[in-house]
């Protein structure tokens, strides 16, 4: 009997456990909010899409390398820097192009060396650089400069005579045009009438001085030395003046002999002409006879600073240099005369030939231009900016 009761109790417990394990749970319903109908979702109404936001166009970048002066404190006086900034400020593409100005400090020789390195490598190459025409042919031959004739052919000023043919030849190599000319110049004798009157060479400020040959030029220098305390003469003679020494000085004297540095018929250099000896002799005479500045000043890295200061103080007789330097002694120039009106005190004479024969006078002419490197990725844009720089609105203030 007891076994039967125990069996029944065990059976009941099993049934209870099974019932508990198989009981289904009641699901909890989460209420779902019915979305409100918007006006645009009404039956038959079109659904308007929100306008997409358009990112502002990224500005193009253009880099121009400019020689601004011998040191950073000279930048404010740089006519080239002012010219570039003025042109960019009124450029119609200003809002689309970011102009980076690479300001280079030093001499023209320093700038030349720096540009030779920069334009030969993609990672340093500017889009526009200032180029001296005497260096242009070599740079074109080296493949450093781009031919921009395709852009200039569409420029009205290039075709209507505004840019004179003589200046175009500065930037033309073969059939290509490798820059836009900005300036040209000539060599001549800038003389101080105050000094020449004191030396007994002139009688009044109304008189003009024009030596007929080298000997008359030397006679004037000797008279200045003997009768005044002024420095008789200066021209570039130091290595630091670079092109100035070769162009303002040596070549101007050399060509005044009537000979040429290169024979045009066969392209060979004139290495045994009498002109070499005659040029060396006259320059040696000027130095050895004390007709120029002290040696320390003459061979300084920047001898022109001494020479212009002497002239500014009416203490220099004659300078053989770029004739445009006359203006630096004016009221708005860098070396305004301490005493007297520069238009009355200063005179300009042509450099005479050795014996006063032949062409009678000798000069050298060069010039500067803006060029576009061959490695630039923005050649067309660079050409557009250069043509804008050369507009009357931007160019005339620079020249004047």
């Amino acid at each position: 009997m007891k076994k039967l009761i125990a069996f029944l109790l065990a059976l009941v417990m099993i049934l209870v456990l099974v019932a508990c394990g198989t009981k289904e749970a009641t699901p909890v319903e989460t209420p779902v909010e019915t979305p409100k109908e918007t006006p645009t979702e009404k039956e038959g109404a079109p659904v308007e899409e929100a306008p997409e936001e358009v990112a502002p166009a990224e500005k193009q970048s253009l880099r121009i390398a400019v020689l601004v002066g011998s040191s950073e404190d000279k930048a404010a006086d740089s006519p080239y820097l002012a010219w570039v900034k003025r042109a960019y400020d009124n450029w119609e593409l200003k809002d689309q192009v970011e102009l980076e100005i690479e300001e280079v400090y030093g001499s023209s020789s320093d700038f030349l060396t720096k540009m030779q390195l920069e334009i030969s490598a993609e990672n340093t190459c500017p889009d526009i650089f200032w180029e001296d025409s005497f260096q242009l042919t070599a740079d074109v031959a080296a493949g450093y400069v781009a031919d921009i004739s395709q852009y200039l052919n569409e420029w009205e000023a290039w075709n209507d005579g505004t840019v004179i043919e003589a200046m175009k030849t500065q930037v033309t190599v073969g059939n290509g045009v490798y820059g836009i000319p900005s300036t040209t110049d000539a060599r001549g004798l800038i003389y101080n009438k105050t000094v020449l009157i004191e030396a007994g060479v002139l009688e009044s400020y109304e008189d003009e001085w024009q030596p007929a040959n080298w000997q008359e030029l030397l006679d004037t220098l000797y008279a200045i030395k003997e009768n005044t305390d002024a420095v008789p003469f200066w021209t570039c003679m130091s290595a630091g003046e670079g092109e100035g020494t070769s162009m303002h000085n040596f070549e101007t004297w050399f060509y005044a002999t009537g000979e040429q540095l290169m024979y045009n018929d066969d392209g060979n250099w004139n290495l045994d002409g009498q002109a070499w000896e005659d040029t060396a002799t006259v320059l040696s005479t000027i130095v050895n006879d004390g007709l120029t500045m002290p040696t320390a000043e003459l061979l300084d890295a920047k001898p022109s600073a001494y020479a212009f200061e002497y002239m500014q103080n009416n203490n220099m007789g004659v300078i053989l240099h770029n004739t445009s330097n006359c203006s630096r002694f004016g009221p708005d120039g860098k070396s305004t005369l301490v005493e007297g009106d520069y238009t009355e005190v200063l005179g300009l004479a042509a450099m005479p030939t050795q014996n006063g024969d032949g062409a009678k006078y000798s000069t050298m002419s060069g010039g500067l231009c803006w060029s576009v490197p061959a490695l630039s990725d923005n050649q067309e844009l660079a050409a557009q900016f250069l043509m804008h720089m050369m507009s009357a609105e931007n160019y005339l203030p620079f020249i004047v």
Side-chain angles (χ1 to χ4, degrees):
M1 186 66 173
K2 291 181 178 178
K3 290 182 179 179
L4 179 60
I5 293 173
F7 173 77
L8 291 174
L9 287 173
L11 181 61
V12 171
M13 291 179 66
I14 291 172
L15 292 173
V16 171
L17 289 172
V18 171
C20 289
T22 58
K23 184 177 181 181
E24 293 183 1
T26 304
V28 178
E29 295 183 0
T30 303
V32 178
E33 183 178 354
T34 303
K36 295 181 180 180
E37 190 179 63
T38 60
T40 58
E41 293 175 334
K42 289 182 179 179
E43 190 174 332
V47 178
E48 296 181 2
E49 296 182 359
E52 293 183 5
E53 293 187 4
V54 179
E58 185 176 343
K59 278 190 173 183
Q60 291 180 271
S61 179
L62 197 65
R63 184 159 68 94
I64 182 171
V66 185
L67 176 62
V68 298
S70 57
S71 59
E72 191 169 353
D73 61 342
K74 302 292 185 182
D77 299 325
S78 169
Y80 282 96
L81 187 59
W83 181 14
V84 171
K85 289 182 175 180
R86 177 175 55 252
Y88 178 65
D89 286 342
N90 60 44
W91 193 22
E92 62 180 5
L93 298 179
K94 179 181 179 181
D95 293 337
Q96 303 170 37
V97 180
E98 189 70 37
L99 182 67
E100 177 188 348
I101 302 176
E102 178 187 354
E103 300 180 9
V104 181
Y105 306 101
S107 66
S108 56
S109 296
D110 296 331
F111 184 81
L112 171 62
T113 301
K114 185 177 179 65
M115 286 302 103
Q116 294 300 296
L117 295 174
E118 289 196 2
I119 64 178
S120 63
E122 291 184 3
N123 61 332
T124 59
C125 182
D127 297 301
I128 301 170
F129 71 108
W130 176 84
E131 175 84 306
D132 198 315
S133 58
F134 92 96
Q135 180 63 31
L136 183 63
T137 302
D139 286 344
V140 170
Y144 291 156
V145 187
D147 178 2
I148 58 173
S149 56
Q150 60 179 315
Y151 311 117
L152 299 181
N153 289 336
E154 301 175 1
W155 183 28
E156 184 177 353
W158 189 259
N159 301 304
D160 66 4
T162 301
V163 181
I164 62 176
E165 293 299 321
M167 293 189 71
K168 289 182 182 181
T169 61
Q170 291 185 95
V171 294
T172 301
V173 181
N175 296 321
V177 179
Y178 294 88
I180 294 182
S182 61
T183 59
T184 189
D185 51 29
R187 268 74 237 154
L189 300 168
I190 303 171
Y191 62 92
N192 189 301
K193 292 185 178 182
T194 298
V195 175
L196 266 62
I197 290 171
E198 185 180 352
V201 177
L202 297 179
E203 294 183 357
S204 70
Y205 287 102
E206 286 71 34
D207 294 338
E208 301 294 336
W209 173 71
Q210 177 58 66
N213 50 52
W214 287 7
Q215 189 56 55
E216 286 192 12
L217 171 55
L218 289 173
D219 290 344
T220 296
L221 303 187
Y222 283 120
I224 294 171
K225 179 184 178 183
E226 293 170 4
N227 300 315
T228 76
D229 293 327
V231 176
F233 179 80
W234 175 76
T235 190
C236 302
M237 292 189 182
S238 72
E241 291 290 300
E243 179 215 1
T245 297
S246 63
M247 187 177 185
H248 301 325
N249 182 4
F250 175 78
E251 290 182 83
T252 302
W253 291 96
F254 189 96
Y255 288 120
T257 66
E259 292 189 27
Q260 299 293 312
L261 274 170
M262 181 177 287
Y263 296 116
N264 293 329
D265 54 349
D266 58 12
N268 289 324
W269 290 99
N270 170 16
L271 299 178
D272 55 2
Q274 182 64 33
W276 292 93
E277 182 177 343
D278 292 348
T279 300
T281 298
V282 71
L283 292 176
S284 296
T285 298
I286 290 171
V287 174
N288 294 335
D289 288 2
L291 301 178
T292 187
M293 301 188 301
T295 302
E297 297 175 355
L298 191 66
L299 300 182
D300 188 82
K302 198 68 175 176
S304 58
Y306 295 101
F308 293 149
E309 184 176 355
Y310 282 128
M311 184 66 83
Q312 179 182 19
N313 289 281
N314 294 324
N315 201 26
M316 170 68 74
V318 182
I319 288 178
L320 171 58
H321 209 271
N322 185 337
T323 57
S324 65
N325 277 308
C326 289
S327 62
R328 74 177 296 124
F329 302 106
D332 299 321
K334 298 178 181 179
S335 307
T336 304
L337 287 182
V338 172
E339 183 178 346
D341 184 335
Y342 85 111
T343 61
E344 297 176 357
V345 173
L346 299 184
L348 183 62
M351 176 68 180
T353 54
Q354 184 176 12
N355 301 309
D357 53 3
K360 297 188 180 301
Y361 306 113
S362 171
T363 189
M364 290 292 296
S365 183
L368 302 170
C369 66
W370 294 103
S371 292
V372 178
L375 292 177
S376 169
D377 293 328
N378 298 310
Q379 293 181 11
E380 182 174 4
L381 186 63
Q384 289 178 2
F385 182 64
L386 288 179
M387 288 184 280
H388 174 68
M389 282 181 60
M390 293 302 297
S391 66
E393 177 186 7
N394 296 311
Y395 183 55
L396 287 179
F398 165 74
I399 292 296
V400 175

